[in-house]
Amino acid sequence: MLSPEQFFGFLAAAVLITLSPGPDNLMVLSTGIAKGRLRGIAFGLGCAMGCISHTVLAVIGVSALIAASPTAFTALKIAGGLYLIWMGWGAIRSRGGARVAAAGAPDEPALRLFAKGLVAAAINPKVVLFFLSFLPQFVVASRGDANLQIGMLGIVFTLQAALIFGLLGYFSGAVGQWLNRTPRAGMWLDRIAGAVFIGLGLRLIVAR
């Protein structure tokens, strides 16, 4: 099981990262504005559920590297840390300006939009790298099975993403208008998330 400190520390980082303006949440907002709340929620839930596949890959990938070679696992940690730092630097340099477009598009069944969100998240290689870099940092060796902890952390990430994306879909109109009116809000969310990414990346590189 996850300790309270482990759980809440991970949850805080996960929520901040999920809220930071990016392709997934902007697509959820755009879908909700263009096609209505139900379809925005469906697309958002699909994006969130796609995280399950990345959790499985993270468990398998980390386990395989640990079993194959401690050196390879160390290389993965360094590469993952550098990747997070690169993502963080890009977010900090962002000037905001994230806007939500609502292009008129033909209605699609909510189930089809759920499937689209699921596939879009599941096949995104950047999300695979992110999960491989992010989840293992919150594993506490003294608490036992690392694979179980990674799996539980992945489920926590998925559930919080489902809640946030669902709320974004439901309130898509109001949130989209606010974000378009106040692009600096997106910029500051990016900067805060960027600082978190850099901190996590440095922690991953120096951890032993």
Side-chain angles (χ1 to χ4, degrees):
M1 295 294 292
L2 304 177
S3 69
E5 296 82 5
Q6 189 181 12
F7 172 80
F8 287 110
F10 176 79
L11 182 63
V15 167
L16 182 58
I17 289 166
T18 304
L19 285 174
S20 179
D24 285 346
N25 48 28
L26 292 179
M27 278 295 295
V28 172
L29 289 172
S30 297
T31 301
I33 293 171
K35 302 175 184 294
R37 286 177 170 174
L38 176 61
R39 289 169 174 80
I41 292 171
F43 184 82
L45 291 179
C47 289
M49 290 302 107
C51 295
I52 294 293
S53 65
H54 300 306
T55 300
V56 173
L57 289 174
V59 170
I60 294 172
V62 171
S63 300
L65 278 177
I66 291 175
S69 167
T71 303
F73 182 62
T74 300
L76 173 67
K77 287 174 57 179
I78 294 173
L82 292 173
Y83 175 70
L84 289 175
I85 292 171
W86 176 75
M87 287 180 63
W89 179 242
I92 287 175
R93 293 181 61 196
S94 169
R95 297 184 177 275
R99 298 187 62 82
V100 181
D107 285 342
E108 295 180 76
L111 186 59
R112 183 179 297 174
L113 284 167
F114 174 86
K116 280 187 173 183
L118 181 68
V119 172
I123 65 175
N124 188 339
K126 291 184 178 180
V127 182
V128 177
L129 291 173
F130 170 72
F131 267 61
L132 281 171
S133 305
F134 183 61
L135 297 185
Q137 292 190 66
F138 292 87
V139 171
V140 178
S142 62
R143 298 196 65 83
D145 191 339
N147 292 338
L148 178 61
Q149 291 185 60
I150 290 175
M152 294 178 70
L153 291 168
I155 291 172
V156 171
F157 191 96
T158 300
L159 292 177
Q160 65 84 32
L163 177 61
I164 290 174
F165 285 168
L167 289 172
L168 285 177
Y170 186 82
F171 294 106
S172 53
V175 175
Q177 290 174 12
W178 174 76
L179 191 58
N180 285 340
R181 287 198 309 268
T182 56
R184 289 182 65 85
M187 179 185 70
W188 282 107
L189 280 172
D190 273 341
R191 288 181 175 177
I192 294 170
V196 171
F197 279 134
I198 291 174
L200 291 172
L202 292 172
R203 173 185 168 185
L204 186 58
I205 290 172
V206 302
R208 293 290 182 267

